[in-house]
Amino acid sequence: MAVLGIETSCDETGVALYATDRGLLAHRLHSQVALHAEYGGVVPELASRDHVRRLWPLVEACLEDAGLDRRAIRGVAYTAGPGLVGALLVGAAAGRALAWALGVPAVGVHHMEGHLLAPLLEPDPPAPPFVALLVSGGHTQLMLVEAIGRYRLLGQTLDDAAGEAFDKTAKLMGLPYPGGPELARLAAEGRPGRFRFARPMTDRPGFDFSFSGLKTQVLLAWQDSDRSAQTCRDIALAFQDAVVETLAIKCERALLHTGARCLVVAGGVGANRALRARLSEMAARHAARVCFPRPEFCTDNGAMIALAGALRLAGGAAEPAAVRVRARWGMDELEPLPPCHAAG
Ligand code: KG4
Ligand code: ZN
C-alpha cells in the first residue's frame, strides 16, 4: 500500500511515498529558508502561500521518482498539527482533496509522532519499549514509548525548546537565520574552556528542562566580551556544550529510571553532531542502543509523515472527510494502535 505523506506544518514542504511492505519509495523537500531569511524567522502567511506553490509539483515529482501513477496512492497522510495553522491547512486541504478524488482514506498525523517514528525509516529499526528524546524548534520532550501509539511523557521543557534556544541565542549574537545549524557550525571551531554556562535543572530530580535562562547567560557574556569572531565561536561551543550536556544527563536518567535499553533521538536538534556523539558515548556506557534518523530525516520531512500515516492507516485509522488541524496537540491524546500493528 503506497501512502502519500504531506508535511506543511512550518517552513518546509515535504512530500514522500511510503509502502508498508517496501519502505520509502520517494521523498522530496522544499525548504523555505531563503524566503524567510530577511525577516530573521518564519513569517506564517508567507509560509502558507509558499506551501500552496510548492506542494503539487513535489507530489508530481515524487510519483515520477517512484515510477508510479497517482492511482497507485492507496492512502494519504498529512500533518494535522501541532504547527502553524495556515501552513497546516494547506497540506490538510490538499491531502483531503486528493484522497477524496482518488477514493482512498486520509489520515491527519501528529507532527511529533512523525518525528518520533523517523528512526523506523532506517535499517534495523528500534522496537518498543524505548526512551525517545524529541528535540525540535517547538518541542523538547522525553517520552517512554511503550508501544507505537502509546506514549508516556516523562518530562518536557518548561519554557524554550532546545532548537528555539539555539535559534534565539544565535540571533542575539547577530548570526543569520536559521540559527541552530549556524551556531553548531561555529561551535566546531570554538576553543573549549574559555566560557562555561550552567546545565539548567540537572541538579533537580525529574526529567523537565528549562533553556530560557541559558540565552540570558549568553547575552551577558556576549555583551561583556570583545565580540570578535573567535569569541563568537568560543561562546557558541560553550552554549552547545551546555545544551548537549543537559540533554545527555536527562536521557541517561530516563534510561536508568525506565530500564529501557534503547534511546531514540528525533527532531531538528537531533541533527547536531555534538549531541549525537555525546549520546552515543553515554548509551555505550550503559550497553544501551541509541538510534538517530539520518540528519535529513531529523528535520521536518514528508517521509516521517508518510511512515506514521501508513502505520495509522494499516492500524485502521479512519477519519470522516473533514479537514481538522490543531496548533496545539498533546501526544497523550493519541489513540493506541492495536497490538498487531504496534511492533513497527
Ligand atoms: O524538527 P525541526 O526541523 O522543526 C520543528 O518541528 O521545529 O527542527 C528545527 C530546529 C530549529 O530550531 C533548528 O535551529 C534546529 O532544529 N536545528 C539544529 C541543528 N539543525 C537544526 N540545532 C542544533 N544543531 C543543528 N545541527
Ligand atoms: Zn518538526
Side-chain angles (χ1 to χ4, degrees), residues 12 111-112 115 135-138 163-164 166-167 178-181 184 267-269 271-273 298-300:
E12 328 267 357
H111 180 76
M112 295 312 291
H115 274 303
V135 269
S136 71
E164 190 179 2
F166 265 91
D167 294 337
V269 185
N272 185 280
R273 285 194 192 173
C298 281
T299 44
D300 291 348

Side-chain angles (χ1 to χ4, degrees), residues 101-114:
L102 294 172
V104 299
V107 64
V109 169
H110 193 295
H111 180 76
M112 295 312 291
E113 182 176 53

Side-chain angles (χ1 to χ4, degrees), residues 177-191:
Y177 161 88
E182 179 68 12
L183 205 133
R185 198 180 59 72
L186 290 173
E189 296 162 19
R191 295 170 306 186

Side-chain angles (χ1 to χ4, degrees), residues 9 55 81 112 189 222 256 329:
S9 68
L55 188 54
M112 295 312 291
E189 296 162 19
W222 177 242
L256 294 174
W329 192 3

